């Protein structure tokens, strides 16, 4: 299912507004009121009461978590309340809320319920994860094949065997001599000639194929409190990733396409760094291979209602899933975890990258603020902690985002920065800058 940019932003704002509505509802404000009858009480979201016909099975209507018999904005609100842990669902409600049938109730279920409510999709079956497989048809076919085999074998074979035995007794010994002559050499001679011809043909074919498919790119993965994978240069081509994303269009992309997707690069770099990508704690992908739910043990919404995994390509935010974005040569892919409220995408600069022992370097830390449209200008980050070769230091930036450091020992140093304020804010770590310090003359 393709994602339109404008439509994606529209859903994001709708969901943002609904989250605000959910927060208000959790502050003891009645979301729904029934007027005109004091003795009639509207069933609360937490208590599943189905108003359908008695023959309907509770929970059998996807999306109807309130049990009203219809899928509407109240079901969207209820599902958001459950995700934000403001409401509890019983088992029937959980079945109704998991509309894409992937076993997890998350933002994608909310989005699909909203799409159904707005009439953008007619049913949830087109996005269901279940994919029944049935290939046992060819099994009965081999059964009739062995049946005719045993019939002719026992009957004719014993009959001709006794006949040749008396025939060789007479003198006609010269008769077998002409028999090897018809076996002639000319027949096997042409056979080996065509054989070597097809052999070299398939060999050169697979060689040029992987070359144009493979592209070189840079990629890194920034976790909440640590860097999962620093900036790496890799080569990637479309390949079978069904063992990670499932047997779907994204997993089998390589069969009909020669350009890799963003998800190919993410899985490939994890594999190259020694991660077991078949372990759900390493990476978990949903929505038919388009959405990353977890990387390196950190799951979406662990740091607030809007926290989760995002990615950028060549310094710009992407509004389509990782299973939809095609990559090009020399691309920069940055995967990162954002806080629940706000964040900055960090950058660090050094006044000098080559100095001698005893000299000072001024480091400036800035960040691109979170935005829903065009990115804003980078802002100075105050009280960001400078890291030296991945280790936390006591150096903090001032209100201008600057910090002066004197290097007393020679060597090559990797300098970056970080800032985390509870679960409400985080600075996405900048790509480190290297400073080379040499002995003076």
């Amino acid at each position: 299912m393709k994602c339109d940019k404008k439509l994606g932003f529209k859903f994001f704002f709708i969901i943002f507004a609904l989250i605000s509505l959910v927060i208000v509802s959790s502050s003891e404000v009645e979301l729904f009121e029934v007027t005109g009858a004091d003795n009639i009480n509207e069933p609360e979201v937490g208590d599943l009461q189905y108003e359908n016909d008695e023959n309907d099975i509770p929970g059998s209507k996807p999306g109807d978590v309130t049990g009203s018999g219809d899928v509407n904005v109240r079901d969207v609100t209820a599902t958001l309340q459950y995700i934000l842990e403001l409401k509890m669902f019983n088992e029937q409600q959980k079945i109704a809320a998991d509309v894409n049938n992937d076993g997890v109730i998350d933002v994608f279920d909310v989005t699909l319920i909203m799409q159904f409510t707005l009439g953008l999709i007619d049913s949830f079956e087109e996005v269901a994860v279940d994919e029944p497989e049935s290939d046992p048809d060819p099994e009965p076919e081999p059964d009739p094949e062995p049946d005719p085999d045993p019939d002719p074998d026992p009957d004719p074979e014993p009959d001709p065997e006794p006949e040749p035995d008396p025939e060789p007794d007479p003198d006609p010994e010269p008769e077998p001599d002409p028999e090897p002559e018809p076996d002639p050499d000319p027949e096997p001679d042409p056979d080996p000639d065509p054989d070597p011809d097809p052999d070299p043909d398939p060999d050169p074919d697979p060689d040029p194929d992987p070359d144009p498919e493979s592209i070189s790119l840079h990629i890194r993965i920034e976790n909440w409190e640590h860097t999962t994978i620093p900036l790496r240069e890799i080569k990637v081509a479309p390949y079978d990733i069904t063992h990670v994303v499932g047997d779907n269009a994204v997993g089998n992309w390589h069969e009909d396409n020669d350009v890799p997707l963003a998800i190919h690069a993410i899985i490939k770099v994890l594999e190259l760094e020694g991660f077991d990508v078949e372990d759900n704690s390493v990476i978990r992908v949903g929505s038919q291979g388009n959405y990353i739910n977890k990387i390196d043990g950190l799951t979406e919404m662990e740091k607030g209602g809007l926290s989760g995994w995002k990615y950028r390509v060549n310094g710009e935010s992407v509004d389509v899933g990782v299973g939809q974005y095609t990559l090009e040569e020399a691309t920069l892919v940055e995967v990162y975890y954002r806080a629940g409220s706000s964040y900055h995408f960090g950058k660090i600069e050094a006044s000098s990258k080559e100095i001698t022992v005893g000299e000072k370097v001024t480091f400036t830390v800035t960040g691109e603020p979170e935005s829903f449209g065009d990115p804003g200008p980078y802002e100075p980050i105050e009280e960001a902690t400078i890291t030296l070769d991945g280790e936390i230091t006591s150096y903090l930036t001032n209100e201008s985002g600057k910090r002066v450091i004197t290097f007393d020992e020679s060597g090559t140093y990797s300098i970056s920065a970080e800032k985390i304020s509870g679960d409400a804010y985080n600075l996405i770590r900048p790509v480190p800058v290297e400073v080379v310090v040499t002995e003076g003359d």
Side-chain angles (χ1 to χ4, degrees):
M1 185 171 57
K2 296 184 179 179
C3 176
D4 180 75
K5 293 184 178 179
K6 295 182 179 179
L7 188 59
F9 284 120
K10 180 178 178 180
F11 280 121
F12 184 88
F13 284 115
I14 292 175
I15 293 176
F16 184 83
L18 287 174
I19 291 176
S20 301
L21 183 60
V22 170
I23 294 175
V24 173
S25 67
S26 65
S27 303
E28 301 182 355
V29 176
E30 292 293 333
L31 263 175
F32 308 102
E33 296 182 357
V34 178
T35 59
D38 297 336
N39 295 328
I40 300 177
N41 294 324
E42 187 81 357
E44 293 189 2
V45 175
D47 300 325
L48 184 61
Q49 300 180 12
Y50 278 82
E51 302 172 359
N52 301 339
D53 187 83
E54 294 180 356
N55 295 327
D56 292 344
I57 302 174
S60 63
K61 186 169 185 178
D64 184 17
V65 298
T66 60
S68 64
D70 188 19
V71 180
N72 51 44
V73 71
R74 293 171 55 192
D75 299 294
V76 179
T77 304
T79 306
L80 278 172
Q81 287 179 316
Y82 173 79
I83 293 175
L84 297 176
E85 300 182 355
L86 300 177
K87 285 287 185 181
M88 298 296 293
F89 275 4
N90 57 35
E91 291 301 320
Q92 296 172 350
Q93 287 175 296
K94 292 178 181 179
I95 294 174
D98 185 16
V99 294
N100 65 357
N101 204 21
D102 63 352
V104 179
I105 301 175
D106 53 21
V107 174
F108 272 87
D109 296 297
V110 177
T111 303
L112 292 172
I113 297 174
M114 174 58 72
Q115 289 179 316
F116 184 85
T117 303
L118 296 177
L120 299 178
I121 59 175
D122 297 329
S123 68
F124 299 111
E125 295 179 358
E126 59 190 71
V127 296
V129 175
D130 295 336
E131 298 179 358
E133 298 180 356
S134 58
D135 298 329
D137 297 337
E139 295 180 356
E141 296 178 356
D143 296 336
E145 295 178 2
D147 295 340
D149 296 339
D151 297 338
D153 293 341
D155 298 338
E157 290 179 355
D159 297 337
E161 290 177 1
E163 294 176 357
D165 294 337
E167 293 177 356
D169 296 337
D171 299 333
E173 296 178 353
E175 295 179 355
D177 298 335
E179 293 179 354
E181 297 177 0
D183 292 341
D185 301 335
E187 295 180 358
D189 294 337
D191 295 337
D193 295 337
D195 293 338
D197 296 337
D199 293 337
D201 294 338
D203 293 338
D205 293 339
D207 294 338
D209 292 342
D211 294 337
E213 294 176 358
S214 298
I215 63 172
S216 296
L217 57 85
H218 288 83
I219 184 171
R220 66 183 180 121
I221 301 179
E222 290 293 339
N223 211 307
W224 182 259
E225 294 182 346
H226 66 278
T227 298
T228 296
I229 297 179
L231 190 63
R232 293 282 188 264
E233 182 178 6
I234 66 171
K235 284 195 171 190
V236 64
Y239 69 107
D240 186 353
I241 55 174
T242 56
H243 59 297
V244 181
V245 305
D247 188 8
N248 49 47
V250 175
N252 295 299
W253 173 268
H254 66 288
E255 295 180 352
D256 302 314
N257 300 274
D258 58 3
V259 179
L261 301 168
I263 188 62
H264 286 119
I266 296 171
I267 294 175
K268 174 61 69 175
V269 74
L270 286 169
E271 291 175 331
L272 292 175
E273 292 294 316
F275 287 90
D276 181 7
V277 294
E278 296 188 37
D279 184 351
N280 282 335
S281 66
V282 171
I283 183 170
R284 186 166 64 200
V285 184
S287 187
Q288 300 290 300
N290 278 300
Y291 180 75
I292 294 180
N293 174 267
K294 175 187 287 187
I295 293 180
D296 194 13
L298 185 59
T299 309
E300 63 172 344
M301 297 189 183
E302 284 192 24
K303 303 299 180 181
L306 294 178
S307 64
W309 289 97
K310 299 187 66 177
Y311 75 109
R312 294 167 34 126
V313 176
N314 295 331
E316 296 183 1
S317 298
V318 181
D319 58 1
V320 298
V322 291
Q324 294 175 297
Y325 193 95
T326 55
L327 299 175
E328 298 179 354
E329 185 77 18
T331 297
L332 171 62
V333 180
E334 296 172 288
V335 184
Y336 60 96
Y337 193 93
R338 60 151 293 172
S341 296
S342 63
Y343 68 94
H344 280 88
F345 201 94
K347 179 172 66 174
I348 187 169
E349 297 174 300
S351 60
S352 180
K353 296 181 180 180
E354 295 182 359
I355 62 172
T356 58
V357 173
E359 290 186 339
K360 298 179 180 180
V361 178
T362 299
F363 296 95
T364 304
V365 179
T366 57
E368 180 185 276
E370 174 186 14
S371 63
F372 302 114
D374 294 333
Y378 277 78
E379 304 170 345
I381 304 299
E382 183 179 2
E383 294 186 354
T385 301
I386 300 297
T387 63
L388 180 64
D389 293 334
E391 299 294 330
I392 299 294
T393 69
S394 59
Y395 300 120
L396 298 177
T397 57
N398 58 22
E399 64 277 4
S400 299
K402 298 181 180 296
R403 179 69 197 203
V404 178
I405 299 177
T406 302
F407 290 85
D408 296 328
E409 295 182 3
S410 61
T412 301
Y413 299 90
S414 178
I415 312 296
S416 186
E418 68 175 44
K419 182 179 181 180
I420 299 175
S421 298
D423 291 346
Y425 171 86
N426 69 320
L427 172 70
I428 310 304
R429 294 175 194 82
V431 175
V433 59
E434 282 195 353
V435 175
V436 178
V437 183
T438 56
E439 296 289 346
D441 295 336

